Amino acid sequence: MPKAAITRKGGAVRLTVSARVANDLGLLQGALKNIADRLGHTACATGCDIFHIGQEVEFGINDVALNPQPLPPRALTFIPARGTITVTIPDKVNNNIDLLNKAIGNVLGKLGCEACCSGFDILFRTEINTVALDEKAGVARFGGVA
Amino acid sequence: MAVWPDTLALGIGATYSGAIDPLIERHPELFDVLEIEPQTLWIKTADPQRPFRVQKQVLEYLAGLPGHKIIHSVGRPIGGTLAPEVAELDLLKATVEYFQPPWASDHLSFNHTEEFATGFFLPPRQTLAGVEAASRAIRRLHAALKVPISVETGVSYLRPRADELPDGEFVGRVVEMANCGLLLDLHNVYCNDVNGRQPIEEFLAQLPLERVWEVHVAGGFTLDGFYLDAHSGSIPEPLLQIIEETIPRLPNVKAIVFEIFPSFVPHVGLDLVKDQLEWLHSVWQRRKVSEGVRPSPITLRSEPAGPDLVPPAMWERALGRLVVGKAADDEIGRELLQEPGVQVVERLIHEFRGSMIVRVLPVTSRFLMLALGTEGFRTILADYWSKCTPQMYASMEAHSFARYLAALGLRVPHLAKIVEFEQAVLATQIDEQIRIVKFDFEPLPLLRAISEGRLPKEPPQTGDFEIEITPDGFGNEARSEVDELWLASNFH
């Protein structure tokens, strides 16, 4: 069973997480949410409640991957260098995120050569469609781009 | 060395990927055969002493799955003039020795030039010199692997050329000269037919059908006016009938393999895969069994018109340059530049490369999309593709993109740290060493927001934080076994 742990090492707060979890958005999301829930502060993951540091959170990969992670279409305001970012995640695409992560988040074959195909890999397009920016807000920026 | 597989018919199966694992588990009876593509399981390292690694536990897992295992190489196809790297061939040999398949197969295509990898299977030069080059490559593979070799009929998005042999004639000559088997990919042939190359019936008429040991089938879709060999789902309706009519004409066919690309499985569902396999089983049961027919020489009819002014190596270089976005610098390159199919292939290569990056660097990719917008991300990728040629292995493509990002110096707060974190994750997946990445800001809210598809509401707080990345998954518990396989493959 994969584990994610929060500990204090010297002066630093340390998260320990396996490479497999860190390399999969669905698993990473589940792990960080689990930690935040366990620490009693769902808004952030570390640092708020030092008394809980040292706990280990154990979670099942299948549970995380299959657990519905609703991300309804939302408007997110952020203070960028210029303008406002609106992030929307279409329901249809969003509903596929878990399934996608379950199926292709597998380490097996992830780092190797592409499978036999003289056609098309849909993963890039799926990921692009997962993150749809509100074009009305102009080019979205996070602190400015050189 | 045997050139003909010493096995009875195997049956129906699929190309293995983790995406179909649940179906294999629920319906093992559907899988008489599992086709393994070894290079998808290899990890390319930056260490010249150990350029590849494969975990023995992965091989053991695959060996334990139902069905006969056959090996389908996807790294260095056998339609070109370049020999594979010794390390690649050694590891392929080790994989073949491990699984002991009745035969191994590879593609009648090329995917490398002297200077770079193309990241895509490309059609070889279909001339008599091209026949000789491919036959040489097949014989070299046979000598190395010491199992019967079959060669897969490929896809070409180019228009037929007057200075080349017809598709079927070319394939027929290659397998005759190399004295090898034929992997008849009926979906590839269907693509070629739909896209204006040789009609299927004419193609089949030019082949020594007794040499067909294996058949591939798949689904595809149309993009920019081209029907793609996308392995994206159901076998197209017209091809169903062609399959039913063709299988009885193949006296030595031993396996039919349904191909589906892993990233399409979540979109089409495993029930579709199940339906396709069930239908193929019904076709298989109706076939005429007449194994043991040995091939008779085919009648070779056509000759290319005019002298061959384009040797295979020149063709490979010219076509390769164009599809990776380099300028044409010779006459054949300028001629190929007019081919609509070249632009399509370039686009497909971009889709594959983009998919590799979002697969291996998911946090970096999504962060860039959230911070810069999807169009901003596409712009960066387009610039990257124009400056860096494809890498065959996802791990190397990720390293290449990370290096490019570092040089680009985007002023996106915390981007460099996110990239450093993901590179450390990748490195740990490769060498299974624990790594610690230090942060001078609280990284978890940022990581959590990115993983949820949003940006954080507030900038991260400063402080001393670190993330310890530990190895996990296959191989973590079996490091000694991993080393064992390396030693067995002479990778040191």
Side-chain angles (χ1 to χ4, degrees):
Chain A
M1 191 78 79
K3 290 175 181 175
I6 294 285
T7 53
R8 184 174 282 282
K9 296 288 176 185
V13 175
R14 175 185 290 182
L15 166 75
T16 300
V17 64
S18 77
R20 184 180 178 187
V21 171
N23 195 225
D24 183 308
L25 289 174
L27 296 179
L28 183 63
Q29 181 185 349
L32 296 182
K33 183 177 184 304
N34 254 321
I35 288 171
D37 290 346
R38 287 289 294 271
L39 295 182
H41 192 305
T42 55
C44 79
T46 58
C48 292
D49 189 345
I50 199 70
F51 297 108
H52 289 85
I53 285 176
Q55 286 196 359
E56 238 176 28
V57 179
E58 201 171 75
F59 57 96
I61 283 198
N62 288 342
D63 292 343
V64 170
L66 294 173
N67 181 35
Q69 298 157 8
L71 295 172
R74 69 184 66 186
L76 168 67
T77 56
F78 179 68
I79 307 170
R82 288 186 290 273
T84 300
I85 300 172
T86 303
V87 180
T88 59
I89 300 189
D91 271 335
K92 190 176 175 186
V93 174
N94 178 50
N95 290 338
N96 281 333
I97 291 176
D98 302 328
L99 188 55
L100 280 171
N101 283 326
K102 166 75 177 162
I104 59 182
N106 198 326
V107 171
L108 203 65
K110 194 170 185 175
L111 302 179
C113 200
E114 286 278 16
C116 165
C117 182
S118 301
F120 194 91
D121 189 343
I122 200 171
L123 184 63
F124 175 58
R125 193 163 292 201
T126 303
E127 180 62 11
I128 287 272
N129 290 341
T130 301
V131 183
L133 296 178
D134 185 349
E135 300 297 342
K136 290 179 185 174
V139 177
R141 290 173 188 277
F142 181 60
V145 183
Chain B
M1 272 189 300
V3 296
W4 202 261
D6 183 20
T7 181
L8 296 174
L10 305 179
I12 302 300
T15 304
Y16 175 80
S17 73
I20 64 166
D21 260 339
L23 186 64
I24 297 172
E25 193 179 329
R26 284 200 299 270
H27 292 284
E29 77 281 0
L30 292 175
F31 297 89
D32 303 321
V33 177
L34 275 177
E35 185 157 83
I36 293 166
E37 299 172 333
Q39 292 88 348
T40 62
L41 310 169
W42 297 358
I43 297 172
K44 183 92 161 72
T45 75
D47 180 358
Q49 299 302 310
R50 288 179 165 182
F52 295 99
R53 61 168 300 209
V54 59
Q55 294 154 321
K56 191 177 179 188
Q57 202 175 355
V58 169
L59 302 183
E60 287 171 349
Y61 171 74
L62 296 176
L65 292 174
H68 299 274
K69 311 300 180 302
I70 49 180
I71 298 296
H72 187 48
S73 176
V74 293
R76 284 286 185 130
I78 42 182
T81 54
L82 291 180
E85 286 178 24
V86 173
E88 286 176 290
L89 207 51
D90 280 354
L91 189 48
L92 185 59
K93 183 182 174 191
T95 310
V96 165
E97 286 172 351
Y98 182 84
F99 285 105
Q100 297 282 306
W103 69 87
S105 59
D106 208 327
H107 302 76
L108 190 51
S109 312
F110 75 95
N111 66 354
H112 280 79
T113 71
E114 291 280 5
E115 305 150 70
F116 52 84
T118 64
F120 201 83
F121 292 148
L122 296 171
R125 178 70 170 148
Q126 290 189 181
T127 57
L128 296 180
V131 170
E132 284 179 22
S135 303
R136 217 167 22 244
I138 295 165
R139 285 195 296 269
R140 183 170 52 221
L141 188 66
H142 184 219
L145 302 187
K146 296 181 172 53
V147 291
I149 301 294
S150 71
V151 58
E152 178 178 336
T153 54
V155 169
S156 174
Y157 297 112
L158 306 181
R159 291 173 295 193
R161 295 176 59 88
D163 64 350
E164 290 193 331
L165 295 162
D167 293 350
E169 189 87 26
F170 176 70
V171 174
R173 284 179 185 262
V174 168
V175 295
E176 290 277 311
M177 182 176 277
N179 191 20
C180 67
L182 189 51
L183 196 176
L184 176 60
D185 190 319
L186 282 172
H187 191 254
N188 286 355
V189 184
Y190 177 76
C191 284
N192 290 342
D193 186 348
V194 171
N195 292 328
R197 291 185 69 89
Q198 195 173 29
I200 285 188
E201 192 46 51
E202 188 181 311
F203 178 85
L204 293 174
Q206 294 176 349
L207 297 182
L209 293 176
E210 306 93 335
R211 289 189 181 272
V212 176
W213 307 333
E214 181 182 352
V215 171
H216 275 180
V217 294
F221 58 84
T222 300
L223 178 78
D224 291 347
F226 284 84
Y227 181 76
L228 302 180
D229 177 42
H231 300 178
S232 53
S234 301
I235 300 165
E237 195 71 27
L239 186 54
L240 296 175
Q241 189 181 343
I242 293 166
I243 292 167
E244 293 211 73
E245 290 170 357
T246 305
I247 296 301
R249 296 168 62 188
L250 309 174
N252 290 309
V253 66
K254 299 179 188 309
I256 304 177
V257 171
F258 176 67
E259 297 186 288
I260 184 153
F261 200 75
S263 57
F264 282 99
V265 172
H267 293 267
V268 301
L270 286 171
D271 282 349
L272 178 142
V273 181
K274 177 171 171 280
D275 290 346
Q276 301 295 298
L277 289 173
E278 284 173 345
W279 180 79
L280 287 171
H281 273 279
S282 72
V283 172
W284 184 253
Q285 284 159 8
R286 295 197 299 273
R287 85 191 195 286
K288 278 192 287 187
V289 180
S290 53
E291 292 186 49
V293 177
R294 286 297 186 261
S296 49
I298 56 171
T299 306
L300 302 172
R301 291 181 298 274
S302 59
E303 295 291 340
D308 182 8
L309 302 175
V310 184
M314 182 188 288
W315 168 270
E316 291 162 20
R317 180 179 177 278
L319 183 55
R321 283 181 65 84
L322 295 182
V323 298
V324 301
K326 291 179 180 288
D329 64 355
D330 59 10
E331 194 176 333
I332 183 65
R334 284 185 284 277
E335 190 183 328
L336 287 170
L337 199 55
Q338 308 307 313
E339 279 287 329
V342 167
Q343 280 75 47
V344 168
V345 170
E346 185 179 8
R347 181 173 173 191
L348 298 178
I349 291 171
H350 291 168
E351 297 288 341
F352 276 107
R353 298 186 73 186
S355 295
M356 275 186 172
I357 288 169
V358 302
R359 183 180 293 121
V360 182
L361 298 176
V363 180
T364 300
S365 301
R366 190 172 280 189
F367 187 35
L368 282 170
M369 280 186 264
L370 292 167
L372 307 176
T374 50
E375 283 311 306
F377 184 50
R378 281 180 187 275
T379 302
I380 288 172
L381 284 177
D383 184 57
Y384 166 64
W385 292 327
S386 73
K387 291 174 177 165
C388 306
T389 54
Q391 299 290 323
M392 293 302 296
Y393 291 83
S395 56
M396 301 308 286
E397 185 74 54
H399 279 310
S400 174
F401 185 58
R403 277 196 304 272
Y404 163 84
L405 280 181
L408 195 60
L410 286 171
R411 287 177 52 205
V412 175
H414 311 305
L415 175 63
K417 211 62 187 175
I418 291 293
V419 175
E420 180 189 337
F421 165 67
E422 281 214 294
Q423 281 194 288
V425 170
L426 178 58
T428 294
Q429 285 184 308
I430 291 172
D431 65 13
E432 299 187 337
Q433 300 297 311
I434 294 173
R435 283 179 175 77
I436 294 171
V437 181
K438 294 182 180 297
F439 296 81
D440 59 5
F441 63 91
E442 190 179 17
L444 270 60
L446 178 60
L447 289 175
R448 185 178 168 191
I450 294 169
S451 69
E452 291 177 354
R454 60 182 174 82
L455 290 173
K457 291 177 181 172
E458 297 170 359
Q461 293 186 4
T462 56
D464 290 333
F465 296 89
E466 53 193 40
I467 298 181
E468 179 184 44
I469 303 152
T470 60
D472 198 349
F474 281 111
N476 188 29
E477 307 83 8
R479 286 192 52 75
S480 59
E481 292 181 349
V482 171
D483 290 340
E484 229 172 69
L485 189 71
W486 267 343
L487 292 170
S489 306
N490 296 319
F491 291 140
H492 50 96

